[in-house]
Amino acid sequence: MKAQTIRNWFNIHKWTSLVCTVFLLMLCITGLPLIFYEEIDHLIHDELAVSAPGPTPLTKDVVLQAAMDEIPGKEVKYIFWDQDHHPGQMFVTLADSAEAPIEADHYLTMDEHSATVLETPPNEMDFMLVMYYLHVELLAGVPGMLFLGFMGLLFFVAIVSGVVLYGPIMKRFDFGMIRTEKSSRLRWLDLHNLLGIVTLTWASVVGLTGVINTLATPALESWRAGQLAEMVAAYEGQPRVRGALSSLQAALDTAQAAAPGMEVSFVAYPGTLYSSNHHYAVYMIGTTPLTSRIIKPALIDAKTGELTDMRDMPWYLKTIFVSQPFHFGDYGGMPMKILWALFDILTIVVLVSGLYLWFARRRAKAEQLKRMVKNAESAESLTLSTIEEDAE
């Protein structure tokens, strides 16, 4: 490879790394606890005791009515289930109206077997939520999310340029060599290069899936304006349904009958962000760690209880949903989480060593410049002394 080409790749690697390193460090640090989100959440919050199932299972309508009686005068926005981590519990979100902002939401955790309230968590961010929103959007909403996506692209360019630069180095040295007999800066350079290659595949996968995930909100808006609008085109111009709605339990049964082998994960009520003005949007998921990320919405007429439409989500949303478990490493159990955490820590070392090398290089150049100035001044002084001696 020509010297000028190497210099160009070096500049690409240096500047893309410098621009994104601080943000990548933040993502690695906040991502570390998120790998163990469920485990930490269990430690922070007391485990809720769910009663044993009765001889006759309660319908979801009975459980939901108990939640609404707990906070009278509110409308239902969302209902959520998590059978893997919270079996027997139903999570209900209430608010003054379907259009109310998230800051005004009220949350209830219901016991599905007894229709009793297990918990009414406050509408505020705890430690894990702060970590999550810092990691996902810098606490800055969609602009922060897209900004982090751009940092992820720079990170990927830095990875590619680093690999290009590492090739010529390995032609002259053994793989994995660390020159312990050389200066501290060279030792850190060798460690930086070695760990960069070791974490190459992991960093590429996590970086690219992270970039894909930052497009989730724009992709959902595109889905709402496209496919969802097509699915409810027959209801266009009609006012939002209000008052008594059809049975929630019947809507869930209808959705499950239309998607055998899947289970209900989430229900969005009419007028909310993830539904239309006329439907229960029942979101079905698969039953394996990976297919649980494949979401299939069923639209159930909230007045008649009939299935209006059910379609697979478009490819771009499927790509985003499938990329999420690869990003957080939460589809392979604890061994996968531990592996993800180890690579996360190694990547932190790569980023910190990169910053150290940049500062060390600048300091070395500054010292070299000082020596050159000092030598020049000494030479000038010697010349003047010689001239003065000759003049005498």
Side-chain angles (χ1 to χ4, degrees):
M1 189 181 296
K2 295 181 179 179
Q4 183 59 46
T5 302
I6 293 176
R7 192 174 296 111
N8 291 338
W9 278 110
F10 174 79
N11 287 327
I12 291 172
H13 183 71
K14 179 178 72 172
W15 291 112
T16 53
S17 300
L18 284 175
V19 171
C20 72
T21 290
V22 172
F23 299 100
L24 263 295
L25 267 175
M26 182 276 298
L27 290 173
C28 286
I29 292 170
T30 56
L32 197 55
L34 291 177
I35 296 172
F36 304 99
Y37 191 107
E38 291 84 8
E39 291 77 10
I40 295 175
D41 193 55
H42 284 311
L43 289 175
I44 294 177
H45 302 104
D46 296 331
E47 194 69 27
L48 300 178
V50 179
S51 59
T56 304
L58 298 178
T59 67
K60 299 298 187 289
D61 297 293
V62 171
V63 181
L64 178 61
Q65 188 58 53
M68 298 178 69
D69 292 342
E70 181 71 15
I71 309 178
K74 304 296 181 182
E75 291 186 16
V76 183
K77 290 181 69 175
Y78 307 111
I79 304 174
F80 172 71
W81 291 268
D82 184 0
Q83 297 299 334
D84 290 335
H85 302 105
H86 303 282
Q89 298 178 29
M90 186 169 105
F91 302 92
V92 181
T93 301
L94 303 175
D96 292 331
S97 68
E99 299 86 2
I102 190 172
E103 294 80 11
D105 288 349
H106 300 270
Y107 305 107
L108 296 97
T109 303
M110 304 298 297
D111 185 332
E112 288 193 305
H113 305 313
S114 63
T116 56
V117 179
L118 295 173
E119 187 183 29
T120 54
N123 187 355
E124 60 186 25
M125 290 199 295
D126 58 12
F127 170 76
M128 291 307 296
L129 280 179
V130 170
M131 291 295 100
Y132 175 79
Y133 283 109
L134 267 175
H135 188 85
V136 170
E137 59 178 36
L138 280 176
L139 299 176
V142 175
M145 191 180 296
L146 296 177
F147 175 79
L148 289 178
F150 179 62
M151 292 299 104
L153 285 177
L154 291 183
F155 179 53
F156 185 71
V157 174
I159 291 173
V160 172
S161 57
V163 172
V164 173
L165 291 171
Y166 196 59
I169 293 175
M170 284 301 95
K171 291 179 180 179
R172 295 185 290 117
F173 300 102
D174 294 332
F175 175 78
M177 60 85 192
I178 296 180
R179 291 166 286 184
T180 56
E181 74 284 357
K182 299 293 185 178
S183 66
S184 174
R185 187 162 67 90
L186 278 177
R187 289 197 299 272
W188 274 103
L189 175 61
D190 292 340
L191 181 64
H192 177 82
N193 291 337
L194 174 60
L195 293 182
I197 290 299
V198 168
T199 59
L200 170 66
T201 301
W202 180 88
S204 300
V205 170
V206 171
L208 286 177
T209 53
V211 171
I212 292 171
N213 289 339
T214 63
L215 303 176
T217 299
L220 282 170
E221 288 299 320
S222 176
W223 171 74
R224 282 173 52 82
Q227 188 182 79
L228 182 61
E230 291 178 6
M231 294 168 73
V232 299
Y235 295 80
E236 186 175 358
Q238 298 182 23
R240 181 166 76 86
V241 294
R242 298 183 184 277
L245 303 180
S246 62
S247 165
L248 171 65
Q249 182 67 62
L252 301 184
D253 293 341
T254 299
Q256 288 192 300
M262 303 185 79
E263 61 184 28
V264 177
S265 173
F266 176 69
V267 175
Y269 265 61
T272 56
L273 182 63
Y274 301 107
S275 184
S276 74
N277 285 327
H278 318 281
H279 295 85
Y280 294 117
V282 182
Y283 291 84
M284 313 294 292
I285 59 173
T287 54
T288 68
L290 194 57
T291 60
S292 65
R293 302 288 180 161
I294 304 296
I295 302 174
K296 191 171 187 177
L299 296 184
I300 311 295
D301 190 302
K303 277 295 186 183
T304 66
E306 297 178 353
L307 177 67
T308 297
D309 203 345
M310 186 175 194
R311 303 184 190 181
D312 290 329
M313 280 195 157
W315 66 268
Y316 53 87
L317 277 178
K318 284 185 179 180
T319 301
I320 290 173
F321 295 148
V322 170
S323 73
Q324 290 173 348
F326 287 98
H327 185 73
F328 289 107
D330 59 357
Y331 63 95
M334 185 54 68
M336 181 67 76
K337 291 186 177 186
I338 293 174
L339 183 64
W340 245 237
L342 289 175
F343 275 114
D344 190 296
I345 293 170
L346 291 177
T347 303
I348 290 175
V349 176
V350 173
L351 296 171
V352 171
S353 60
L355 285 176
Y356 165 77
L357 290 169
W358 184 70
F359 283 112
R361 183 180 177 86
R362 285 177 60 87
R363 185 169 62 248
K365 283 187 174 182
E367 291 175 354
Q368 182 183 19
L369 181 60
K370 286 181 181 178
R371 286 196 300 269
M372 292 174 61
V373 171
K374 186 176 181 180
N375 291 338
E377 290 175 345
S378 298
E380 183 180 359
S381 176
L382 180 61
T383 301
L384 289 175
S385 297
T386 303
I387 294 173
E388 290 173 356
E389 290 176 0
D390 292 342
E392 291 177 357

